[in-house]
C-alpha cells in the first residue's frame, strides 16, 4: 500500500493521476494547497493597480515581527523549500518554481498565485513545504503567513540538477536578478526606483505584493509572471516574459500609477556593487586586486554614440545625469573577465552584465548613475536608471516596455574599439620631481579599427575636461604584441575638490576609432 503523501510527491504521480482521470493541469499543483479560483487577466491587473493608486496607501498585513526577527541570517539559511513540492515539479513547465521563506530581512509577505484558463488560485503557505530545524522560530508563524519571494529552477530535462540550481529569483521589495551565461548571480534589477539619492528625502521601496504564474503549454521555452506593485507613492502592474537560453532575457511591460509626487522616478533601475579595481585602490584595503559586480556603465545614445563610463567608489554620494532622447540602450557591465584580477572564490569574473533595450520611444530624459561610498563588498552602492524628463506628479500614469539581457556582455557590441582599462597615478615624469596637484590617466582601447590602422599611423586622442589643464599627452601601442591595443596617457592639473568630468576618444583624420570614454575624477584638493 502506497502512502498518499509520498504518492503525490513522487516521480510517478503524474502518470498515476492521469490514468485515474485527473486533468494534466491539476498534476502540477497536486503537492500545494490552493485557494479558491478568481478571475484574472492582464487588463484586470492594470485596472487593479490604477484603482489602488486612487486610494490612500495601506501597507499589507504581516506576521508577528517578534517571530520574524528571530529568523536571522543563520536561521533563515537553514530553511529550505522542498524541491519535490515545487510548482510544476512534474510539469507542464520545464522550469519548476520554489519559494523563499519570510525572515528578519524579508518581513513583507508576497501572495503567490497560479493562473490557468483565466482563473487565479493562491498558493497557500504551509510550513510543511520547507525543511527546517525542529527548533526554528518559523514554526511559530500562523497559517498562510505568505512567502518572501520565489525562484525558477533550471529545466527539468536539462543537464543541471534542477533541484539544486536556479536561474532567476525575486526577493525583497521589487528586486529581482538572474544568472548570466557564466552561471553566476551578481547585480540586481528592480521594478521601479523612487527618490534614489534625493536631498532631504528618504528613498522609497515599493513592494511586489502579489505574484501570478501563468501556466505554460508543455514544451514552452518561456515563463510568464505578472506582478502587482504597491507603495506609499506608487502602484503598478508588471508582466515579465522570461527566457532561459545561454543567458537570460526578460521582456517587461509595466504600467505605473502615482499616488504622490515623486522627485526622481527611476525606470528599469539596475543595482550593483563597485568597491575597488585596478583603476584606483587605497593601499592594503584588501588582499584582492579587484572587488566589484560591475565595472562600468555602457550607453548607446539615441544619436548613436557609444559611451563607456568606468564606475567610482566616490568620497560622497554623487548623481550623474546623461541627457538623451529615445536611448537605444544602457547597462551595467562586467568587462574584466580575468580570474587573476580577482583571485577569490566568489567568481567576480563570472558576474553577469545587464543591458536594457527600450522598446518603442521613451522620449526625453536622462540615464542617471548614482554612486554611493562603500567600505565593503556587502553593500550595493551603484544604481543606474532612466529618469523621464516629464515631472512625476500625483495622478500621472507611465507605461514602459523594454528587454533585459542578463548576458556576459552587451547584446549589441559596438564596431568601434572599446575601452579595456583605466588607470590612475601620480602626474609628471618618472625619475623627476612630481608636480603637486597633477594626476596621470592611462586609458586603454582595443578593437578592429585600431588593428586596421596603416603602419606608422598614430591615432589622435580627443580630450575634453569640465575644468583643469592637460599636460604630457601621449598615445602609443601597448607593448604587448597584441594587435589593435593602444593607450593614451595624459596629466590633469585641477585644483579644489569639485569633480572633473573627462571625455576621451581616439580618431584618425575624420574617422572615429573608439567609443567615448567618460570619467568623473575627484581631486583631493
Amino acid at each position: 500500500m502506497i502512502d498518499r503523501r509520498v504518492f503525490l510527491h513522487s516521480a510517478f504521480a503524474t502518470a498515476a493521476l492521469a490514468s485515474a482521470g485527473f486533468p494534466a493541469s491539476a498534476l502540477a499543483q497536486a503537492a500545494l494547497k490552493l485557494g479558491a479560483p478568481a478571475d484574472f487577466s492582464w487588463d484586470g491587473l492594470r485596472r487593479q493597480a490604477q484603482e489602488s493608486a486612487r486610494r490612500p496607501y495601506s501597507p499589507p498585513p504581516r506576521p508577528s515581527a517578534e517571530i520574524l526577527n528571530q529568523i536571522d541570517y543563520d536561521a533563515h539559511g537553514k530553511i529550505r523549500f522542498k524541491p519535490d513540492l515545487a510548482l510544476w515539479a512534474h510539469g507542464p513547465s520545464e522550469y519548476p518554481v520554489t519559494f523563499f521563506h519570510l525572515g528578519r530581512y524579508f518581513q513583507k509577505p508576497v501572495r503567490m498565485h497560479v493562473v490557468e484558463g483565466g482563473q487565479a488560485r493562491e498558493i497557500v503557505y504551509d510550513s510543511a513545504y520547507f525543511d527546517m530545524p525542529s527548533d526554528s522560530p518559523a514554526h511559530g508563524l500562523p497559517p498562510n503567513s505568505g512567502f518572501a519571494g520565489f525562484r525558477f529552477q533550471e529545466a527539468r530535462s536539462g543537464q543541471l540538477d534542477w533541484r539544486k540550481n536556479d536561474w532567476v529569483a525575486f526577493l525583497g521589495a521589487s528586486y529581482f536578478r538572474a544568472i548570466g551565461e557564466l552561471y553566476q548571480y551578481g547585480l540586481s534589477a528592480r521594478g521601479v526606483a523612487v527618490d534614489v539619492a534625493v536631498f532631504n528625502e528618504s528613498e522609497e521601496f515599493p513592494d511586489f505584493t502579489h505574484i501570478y504564474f501563468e501556466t505554460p503549454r508543455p514544451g514552452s521555452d518561456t515563463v510568464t509572471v505578472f506582478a502587482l506593485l504597491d507603495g506609499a507613492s506608487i502602484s503598478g502592474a508588471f508582466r515579465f516574459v522570461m527566457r532561459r537560453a545561454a543567458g537570460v532575457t526578460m521582456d517587461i511591460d509595466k504600467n505605473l500609477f502615482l499616488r504622490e509626487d515623486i522627485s526622481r522616478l527611476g525606470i528599469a533601475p539596475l543595482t550593483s556593487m563597485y568597491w575597488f579595481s585596478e583603476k584606483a585602490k587605497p593601499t592594503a584595503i584588501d588582499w584582492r586586486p579587484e572587488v566589484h559586480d560591475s565595472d562600468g556603465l555602457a550607453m548607446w545614445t539615441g544619436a548613436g554614440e557609444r559611451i563607456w563610463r568606468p564606475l567610482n567608489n566616490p568620497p560622497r554620494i554623487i548623481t550623474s545625469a546623461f541627457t538623451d532622447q529615445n536611448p537605444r540602450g544602457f547597462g551595467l557591465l562586467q568587462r574584466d573577465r580575468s580570474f587573476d584580477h580577482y583571485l577569490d572564490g566568489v567568481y567576480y569574473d563570472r558576474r553577469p552584465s545587464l543591458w536594457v533595450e527600450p522598446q518603442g520611444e521613451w522620449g526625453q530624459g536622462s540615464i542617471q548613475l548614482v554612486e554611493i561610498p562603500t567600505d565593503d563588498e556587502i553593500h550595493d552602492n551603484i544604481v543606474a536608471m532612466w529618469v523621464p524628463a516629464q515631472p512625476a506628479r500625483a495622478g500621472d500614469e507611465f507605461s514602459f516596455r523594454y528587454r533585459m539581457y542578463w548576458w556576459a556582455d552587451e547584446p549589441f557590441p559596438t564596431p568601434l574599439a572599446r575601452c579595456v582599462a583605466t588607470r590612475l597615478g601620480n602626474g609628471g615624469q618618472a625619475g623627476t620631481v612630481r608636480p603637486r596637484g597633477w594626476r596621470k590617466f592611462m586609458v586603454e582601447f582595443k578593437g578592429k579599427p585600431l588593428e586596421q590602422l596603416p603602419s606608422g599611423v598614430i591615432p589622435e586622442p580627443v580630450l575634453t575636461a569640465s575644468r583643469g589643464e592637460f599636460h604630457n599627452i601621449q598615445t602609443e601601442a601597448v607593448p604587448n604584441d597584441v594587435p589593435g591595443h593602444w593607450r593614451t596617457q595624459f596629466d590633469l592639473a585641477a585644483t579644489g575638490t569639485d569633480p572633473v568630468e573627462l571625455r576621451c576618444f581616439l580618431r584618425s583624420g575624420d574617422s572615429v576609432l573608439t567609443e567615448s570614454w567618460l570619467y568623473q575624477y575627484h581631486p583631493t584638493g
Side-chain angles (χ1 to χ4, degrees):
M1 190 171 181
I2 299 174
D3 186 294
R4 182 173 180 274
R5 291 166 296 178
V6 175
F7 177 72
L8 289 176
H9 302 165
S10 68
F12 58 82
T14 297
L17 283 174
S19 66
F22 284 85
S25 60
L27 308 180
Q29 334 303 347
L32 299 171
K33 298 178 181 178
L34 300 180
D39 291 341
F40 178 83
S41 69
W42 171 230
D43 287 340
L45 189 68
R46 288 185 293 185
R47 286 194 300 271
Q48 185 177 350
Q50 185 178 38
E51 292 166 1
S52 176
R54 294 170 180 163
R55 300 189 298 268
Y57 175 63
S58 177
R62 65 179 74 180
S64 166
E66 181 180 355
I67 296 176
L68 293 177
N69 284 329
Q70 296 177 46
I71 308 175
D72 59 15
Y73 181 84
D74 290 335
H76 196 265
K78 296 175 183 177
I79 303 174
R80 301 289 297 178
F81 191 87
K82 298 174 182 177
D84 287 341
L85 305 186
L87 177 67
W88 303 324
H90 309 294
S93 176
E94 269 290 288
Y95 304 104
V97 183
T98 61
F99 301 95
F100 291 103
H101 202 279
L102 296 169
R104 175 184 294 181
Y105 302 107
F106 307 102
Q107 297 199 6
K108 297 179 180 179
V110 184
R111 299 298 172 183
M112 306 291 178
H113 308 75
V114 60
V115 177
E116 188 170 17
Q119 297 285 299
R121 301 180 69 185
E122 182 176 359
I123 301 169
V124 180
Y125 164 85
D126 190 326
S127 61
Y129 299 157
F130 296 86
D131 280 321
M132 63 179 76
S134 59
D135 60 350
S136 174
H139 289 294
L141 290 174
N144 201 18
S145 293
F147 304 95
F150 70 90
R151 52 189 166 190
F152 278 99
Q153 305 298 126
E154 291 283 14
R156 293 181 295 110
S157 60
Q159 296 180 349
L160 296 174
D161 184 349
W162 70 264
R163 293 169 177 81
K164 299 178 181 178
N165 295 277
D166 55 295
W167 57 276
V168 68
F170 283 60
L171 180 64
S174 67
Y175 283 87
F176 57 96
R177 60 180 184 162
I179 63 174
E181 296 169 81
L182 304 177
Y183 293 91
Q184 283 289 318
Y185 280 114
L187 78 171
S188 300
R190 279 189 271 176
V192 68
V194 177
D195 290 340
V196 179
V198 174
F199 182 69
N200 279 343
E201 291 190 32
S202 298
E203 183 174 356
E204 179 183 329
F205 295 89
D207 302 292
F208 286 144
T209 59
H210 292 73
I211 297 291
Y212 299 85
F213 305 99
E214 183 174 82
T215 302
R217 295 178 179 177
S220 173
D221 65 347
T222 64
V223 293
T224 300
V225 174
F226 302 91
L228 184 66
L229 177 132
D230 206 14
S233 300
I234 193 170
S235 70
F238 289 71
R239 176 169 55 194
F240 299 84
V241 180
M242 299 180 280
R243 178 176 288 104
R244 176 78 172 108
V248 174
T249 58
M250 299 179 178
D251 288 314
I252 300 175
D253 291 336
K254 65 183 176 189
N255 293 258
L256 304 174
F257 307 93
L258 274 58
R259 281 193 178 89
E260 306 288 346
D261 294 352
I262 294 176
S263 298
R264 179 175 287 150
L265 177 63
I267 304 301
L270 319 179
T271 302
S272 192
M273 180 275 295
Y274 175 87
W275 187 12
F276 61 85
S277 69
E278 62 189 6
K279 178 175 80 268
K281 173 186 174 183
T283 302
I285 191 174
D286 191 88
W287 65 270
R288 295 163 292 182
E290 303 188 40
V291 175
H292 50 78
D293 282 332
S294 308
D295 51 12
L297 169 65
M299 293 173 278
W300 188 6
T301 70
E305 184 180 13
R306 306 301 289 257
I307 296 172
W308 176 249
R309 164 60 157 81
L311 297 177
N312 272 324
N313 183 357
R316 57 190 179 277
I317 298 175
I318 297 288
T319 300
S320 303
F322 307 92
T323 302
D324 202 358
Q325 180 173 355
N326 298 324
R328 302 186 190 186
F330 68 94
L332 290 174
L333 309 185
Q334 185 78 314
R335 280 188 174 175
D336 191 336
R337 294 296 180 189
S338 173
F339 172 79
D340 291 343
H341 292 182
Y342 302 94
L343 296 175
D344 62 11
V346 297
Y347 302 113
Y348 283 114
D349 58 304
R350 301 182 188 176
R351 301 301 168 101
S353 296
L354 178 50
W355 182 262
V356 176
E357 179 192 9
Q359 306 289 304
E361 294 189 351
W362 280 18
Q364 296 273 2
S366 59
I367 297 168
Q368 297 196 7
L369 175 67
V370 179
E371 297 167 301
I372 302 169
T374 188
D375 59 1
D376 205 335
E377 63 200 286
I378 62 174
H379 305 295
D380 283 343
N381 64 317
I382 303 295
V383 178
M385 57 193 170
W386 173 256
V387 178
Q390 174 187 342
R393 306 299 187 198
D396 285 350
E397 301 178 7
F398 293 84
S399 296
F400 289 90
R401 294 176 56 247
Y402 51 96
R403 176 171 291 175
M404 283 185 160
Y405 298 83
W406 305 76
W407 287 11
D409 202 352
E410 56 192 283
F412 310 105
T414 175
L416 300 172
R418 302 205 309 180
C419 179
V420 295
T422 302
R423 310 179 197 279
L424 276 66
N426 292 327
Q429 300 296 324
T432 67
V433 177
R434 303 296 182 98
R436 295 187 62 183
W438 287 26
R439 198 67 166 151
K440 185 175 295 296
F441 292 81
M442 188 81 71
V443 184
E444 297 182 16
F445 296 96
K446 184 179 177 183
K448 275 193 175 181
L450 295 174
E451 291 180 30
Q452 297 168 351
L453 285 174
S455 177
V457 173
I458 298 177
E460 174 194 359
V462 180
L463 286 166
T464 59
S466 59
R467 63 186 187 87
E469 297 181 357
F470 292 116
H471 302 273
N472 303 328
I473 301 172
Q474 303 176 42
T475 301
E476 63 179 358
V478 177
N480 59 0
D481 297 324
V482 176
H485 191 177
W486 287 76
R487 64 189 178 196
T488 187
Q489 61 174 294
F490 58 88
D491 290 347
L492 177 74
T495 59
T497 58
D498 289 340
V500 181
E501 301 293 343
L502 298 168
R503 177 186 286 265
C504 174
F505 65 90
L506 301 183
R507 70 182 177 191
S508 179
D510 294 332
S511 298
V512 175
L513 303 174
T514 71
E515 65 185 359
S516 298
W517 171 86
L518 271 58
Y519 187 68
Q520 187 178 80
Y521 168 54
H522 294 268
T524 56

